[in-house]
Amino acid sequence: MSTVEKPNPLKQVNDAVDSRWSELLSRVHMERTTRRMLALVVIAFALFAVLAPNVFLSAINLQNIALASPEIGILAVAMMLAMLTGGIDLSLVSIANLSAITMSTIYTAVAATDPAQAEAMMPVIVLAGVLVGLAGGAINGVLVSVVGITPILATLGTMQIYNGVAVAWTGGSTLYGAPSALTAMGMSTLAGVPLLFLAFVLVAVGVGALLNRTPLGLKVQLQGANPTAARYSGIRGRSVLMSTYLLTGLLGGIAGVLFLARNPTASADYGASYVLLVIVIAVLGGTNPNGGYATVLGVVLATLTLQIVSSGFTAVRLSSYEYAMAQGVILIAVMVLDQVRWRRRRRRPAATVAA
Amino acid sequence: MSAPQSSATSWARRLRGANNEGVLALILLLVVVGMSIANPVFLTLPTAFSIARDAIVPLILALGVLLIIILGGIDVSFAAIAVFAGYATVRLMEGGTLDLGLVAAFAVAIVIGGCLGAINGWVIARFRLPTLIVTLGTQGIFKGALLTYVGGKYIANLPESLAGVGTANVLEVSLENGQANLHVMVIPAVVLAVVLAWVLRRTMFGRSIYAIGGDIEAARRAGIRVVRVQVWVFVIVGAMAATAGMIYMILGRSASPHELVGTELDIIAAVVLGGASIFGGRGSVLGTVLGVLLVQVINNSLILAGVPSAWQRAAVGALLVVGVGIQAIAARRASQVRRVQEVAPEPKEVAAV
């Protein structure tokens, strides 16, 4: 396209970009909450890019955001799944830690006699970690679906159990040691993007596909939206819940692998503040805590928002305590805005609805 | 229906309690007896007094959580309120420039806690938001504000008036092998428990809390001012948390803004163990007291039994899972029985709440 002969080239390019953009937007149909999250990500990013461009926009800082997001993000996606069925999974972080501890212990035990073999066993070790996660999820699943305990209580109990086992196992100390292949994976990048972040994207896409493209995903959503209706439409609540908690356990195990890949240490009290943070992220991402509604994209964007705010606060030299405040303010503000808008819409039907 | 049989079953039911308090008391008794047989050191006055001392702060916090749970919510911000109020008060009095004395210090802390609780209550009641989400948010805000604006340093020496109470005992018993001391701060905990039990059972306010927790819409139609009760409950819980925070600092004879936060879920577990229903409308002070004591006894007895203290958490978790598991199975069986009874209706007395 030659823009030289046209009267106002800049305007023309502008128009072209505009129409492309709106076309793209209309093609990518997004839920309202997801759009809001996207706006928040952009606003947060722009804000800190303006406030502290030198620090915040540096390649290292951006890579750090991409490195810190995956483990929290995967846990948040798992939390979202549990919330989607109207439940909650408080034991996620304990599961992840237990998985990391298992892997570290196996590696150290094998490496004591034969370091080369320990390295070679990397896939087996990772598999063991993921299996621990699955087992943790299976126990949750049995308690929730077969025994019939309310998810918040069942996972509150198992959280204490898994964490207690981890504390007893490690004696409260931090374990060192991870297969160097795993650590290398944690440090390597692909075209500037950390591999761990790609793993996060992969998991998110996988869960998204599961929710939107498979019968199980549909069942999970229906189960959360209306358990009674789901039962009468022939959905077996028990097996849906079982699958959900197996899945959250699996994701917890994967998060444990990421813990170890990012940092070759494992301890029982790693990420203690994650339990509540992950709930914050899931709700911020548009997940209805009562079940029935959630989007993976929203949760991914919420993870990014909080990471951007966190590293942005560091970049403009605010403390982590101020970050904790910001986190709370963002959560409550978003919830309040949601509620106000929802109520206004209900009061004034149709006529003056602002999309 | 024959009279003796019905009176026997009603006695059994009364002993069991509305929220299985009887069962809990039995378990507590079994643990105590079992531990005493395993290790005679357990059944001594010093052990009992030290368990009582350890239970003070968790008990007051748990009673606050009980109120919120009966109301049909969940609170995870109370620990942040406790630490905020306690630390801010100590900070205010620090350096001896302003020594308020014990009573005034507690008053200041309670006012701070009440205000923070009011923020929780206002947001929750005004915008009808889920309590878990709001208190998650305010937890971060309170803790962040405390560390940013009030201070973050560890205070090793409490002001005179508070430090003195830290070593005061209400009961000192001399034994042949030492002394058993019951800390004076047991008194406020006991008084609080008794007053709260009375409020919940005998006052309009207390019954309103149960009514709202049972069915918020029904409570509203029955003429209960739902928003007002909700806000007041959160204010009271804030004040109670503040009391616990002050006592925590006094017992520890130091003040640090990094304490307590992180123990929320343990406290909630004790309350649930005490028979309070997470869905609201059910729960009792007696049950909560037993729940907290059981957790403390287990923590204390595992050490005496030679089990590494690391297993405490797992033991409490296992107890919680077994406890609520049995309840869940019982509830399911009851609903099946009810379904059978619907086919052949039979007069059944209404269980007292």
Side-chain angles (χ1 to χ4, degrees):
Chain A
M1 203 214 273
S2 67
T3 50
V4 192
E5 310 131 21
K6 305 284 162 67
N8 189 349
L10 202 65
K11 184 175 186 299
Q12 209 134 52
V13 172
N14 229 355
D15 284 351
V17 169
D18 264 3
S19 69
R20 276 286 166 75
W21 180 239
S22 55
E23 189 191 348
L24 198 71
L25 270 188
S26 66
R27 200 176 299 167
V28 184
H29 174 75
M30 277 195 290
E31 312 281 349
R32 194 178 57 79
T33 50
T34 316
R35 274 210 309 270
R36 183 187 65 196
M37 264 340 286
L38 192 62
L40 262 181
V41 170
V42 172
I43 291 170
F45 194 87
L47 182 71
F48 292 111
V50 170
L51 282 178
N54 295 333
V55 187
F56 185 74
L57 286 179
S58 65
I60 292 176
N61 188 50
L62 295 182
Q63 276 195 355
N64 272 338
I65 295 178
L67 262 181
S69 312
E71 50 188 49
I72 300 178
I74 288 180
L75 290 174
V77 167
M79 183 63 83
M80 177 213 81
L81 275 174
M83 281 184 166
L84 192 53
T85 59
I88 198 166
D89 191 344
L90 297 173
S91 67
L92 279 171
V93 178
S94 304
I95 290 181
N97 277 328
L98 207 53
S99 143
I101 289 169
T102 311
M103 288 185 286
S104 190
T105 309
I106 296 178
Y107 172 79
T108 317
V110 178
T113 53
D114 188 357
Q117 200 197 347
E119 287 304 328
M121 275 177 66
M122 197 274 266
V124 181
I125 292 175
V126 169
L127 188 68
V130 172
L131 282 180
V132 166
L134 261 182
I139 295 175
N140 284 340
V142 167
L143 290 178
V144 171
S145 66
V146 179
V147 184
I149 306 177
T150 323
I152 191 168
L153 298 183
T155 55
L156 180 64
T158 54
M159 176 192 88
Q160 310 251 26
I161 295 176
Y162 300 154
N163 186 253
V165 169
V167 171
W169 185 341
T170 61
S173 59
T174 305
L175 302 181
Y176 294 89
S180 54
L182 195 62
T183 322
M185 198 189 98
M187 285 190 287
S188 55
T189 58
L190 190 73
V193 182
L195 272 185
L196 290 186
F197 191 75
L198 293 179
F200 171 39
V201 172
L202 209 66
V203 167
V205 168
V207 173
L210 181 87
L211 280 184
N212 297 317
R213 298 266 185 272
T214 66
L216 177 64
L218 192 64
K219 284 180 194 167
V220 167
Q221 298 194 29
L222 282 178
Q223 173 73 23
N226 190 337
T228 315
R231 194 172 68 233
Y232 282 118
S233 42
I235 292 172
R236 305 224 320 269
R238 271 192 190 186
S239 71
V240 170
L241 286 177
M242 189 71 205
S243 319
T244 308
Y245 284 92
L246 272 177
L247 202 57
T248 60
L250 175 71
L251 291 174
I254 294 175
V257 176
L258 296 196
F259 281 5
L260 208 58
R262 193 155 88 94
N263 203 349
T265 61
S267 77
D269 50 1
Y270 179 79
S273 61
Y274 283 5
V275 185
L276 300 179
L277 175 65
V278 161
I279 302 176
V280 169
I281 293 175
V283 173
L284 207 55
T287 308
N288 179 354
N290 299 322
Y293 180 79
T295 65
V296 179
L297 186 58
V299 173
V300 171
L301 291 174
T303 311
L304 288 179
T305 307
L306 284 186
Q307 281 306 323
I308 287 171
V309 172
S310 163
S311 87
F313 267 44
T314 319
V316 297
R317 291 170 189 279
L318 290 170
S319 68
S320 63
Y321 310 133
E322 279 154 313
Y323 166 61
M325 275 169 74
Q327 205 176 291
V329 170
I330 293 175
L331 176 69
I332 292 181
V334 166
M335 293 295 288
V336 166
L337 285 180
D338 242 18
Q339 193 72 12
V340 168
R341 188 183 310 196
W342 181 75
R343 257 196 235 171
R344 199 173 292 162
R345 186 185 300 178
R346 201 178 45 167
R347 265 184 220 152
R348 277 181 281 166
T352 51
V353 174
Chain B
M1 218 185 265
S2 60
Q5 192 199 349
S6 99
S7 81
T9 51
S10 90
W11 259 106
R13 192 173 293 155
R14 283 197 68 176
L15 269 182
R16 218 180 79 186
N19 306 302
N20 293 326
E21 288 94 345
V23 178
L24 204 58
L26 199 68
I27 295 174
L28 186 58
L29 200 68
L30 282 177
V31 172
V32 170
V33 169
M35 284 318 301
S36 310
I37 294 170
N39 190 340
V41 177
F42 183 77
L43 197 67
T44 53
L45 219 46
T47 312
F49 282 180
S50 103
I51 289 177
R53 183 195 158 108
D54 290 344
I56 297 172
V57 173
L59 177 63
I60 298 178
L61 290 175
L63 289 174
V65 173
L66 171 72
L67 281 184
I68 307 278
I69 285 185
I70 295 176
L71 192 66
I74 266 209
D75 189 347
V76 290
S77 72
F78 59 88
I81 294 181
V83 132
F84 191 112
Y87 186 77
T89 310
V90 171
R91 195 67 213 278
L92 193 70
M93 296 165 64
E94 197 198 8
T97 46
L98 181 71
D99 201 339
L100 294 164
L102 186 66
V103 176
F106 266 95
V108 169
I110 286 173
V111 168
I112 296 175
C115 290
L116 297 182
I119 297 176
N120 273 342
W122 183 76
V123 173
I124 287 165
R126 169 72 179 72
F127 297 105
R128 289 185 213 161
L129 293 176
T131 50
L132 174 65
I133 309 301
V134 172
T135 52
L136 262 176
T138 52
Q139 181 211 38
I141 296 176
F142 295 158
K143 189 172 182 217
L146 172 68
L147 287 158
T148 309
Y149 303 119
V150 182
K153 72 177 167 71
Y154 173 81
I155 299 174
N157 292 310
L158 290 187
E160 276 302 308
S161 53
L162 298 184
V165 193
T167 52
N169 295 314
V170 64
L171 192 63
E172 295 183 5
V173 182
S174 300
L175 304 166
E176 63 264 34
N177 54 354
Q179 214 173 14
N181 299 327
L182 188 61
H183 199 273
V184 69
M185 283 300 157
V186 167
I187 296 172
V190 172
V191 169
L192 209 56
V194 172
V195 170
L196 206 63
W198 177 76
V199 168
L200 280 177
R201 276 164 162 264
R202 301 267 178 242
T203 66
M204 188 63 207
F205 180 70
R207 302 320 296 175
S208 304
I209 300 176
Y210 279 102
I212 293 172
D215 187 335
I216 190 165
E217 193 53 41
R220 184 173 289 125
R221 293 189 184 183
I224 293 169
R225 298 187 179 178
V226 172
V227 170
R228 180 182 290 190
V229 173
Q230 279 176 325
V231 172
W232 270 112
V233 167
F234 275 95
V235 170
I236 292 170
V237 171
M240 285 169 65
T243 313
M246 279 302 285
I247 294 178
Y248 185 85
M249 310 256 159
I250 288 172
L251 287 180
R253 276 182 270 161
S254 62
S256 159
H258 296 284
E259 300 287 339
L260 283 173
V261 175
T263 62
E264 296 91 356
L265 295 176
D266 298 347
I267 304 280
I268 294 173
V271 176
V272 170
L273 208 54
S277 162
I278 207 89
F279 302 111
R282 274 182 168 279
S284 70
V285 170
L286 180 62
T288 303
V289 171
L290 290 172
V292 171
L293 280 181
L294 187 58
V295 170
Q296 293 301 329
V297 166
I298 286 176
N299 284 352
N300 207 304
S301 59
L302 282 184
I303 299 170
L304 283 179
V307 179
S309 60
W311 285 102
Q312 285 172 8
R313 269 181 85 87
V316 172
L319 198 68
L320 182 68
V321 167
V322 171
V324 291
I326 290 172
Q327 279 179 26
I329 290 171
R332 181 179 298 173
R333 201 165 291 165
S335 80
Q336 275 166 359
V337 170
R338 207 169 298 146
R339 220 170 291 154
V340 173
Q341 280 177 342
E342 271 165 24
V343 181
E346 184 184 315
K348 191 171 173 257
E349 60 182 297
V350 181
V353 179

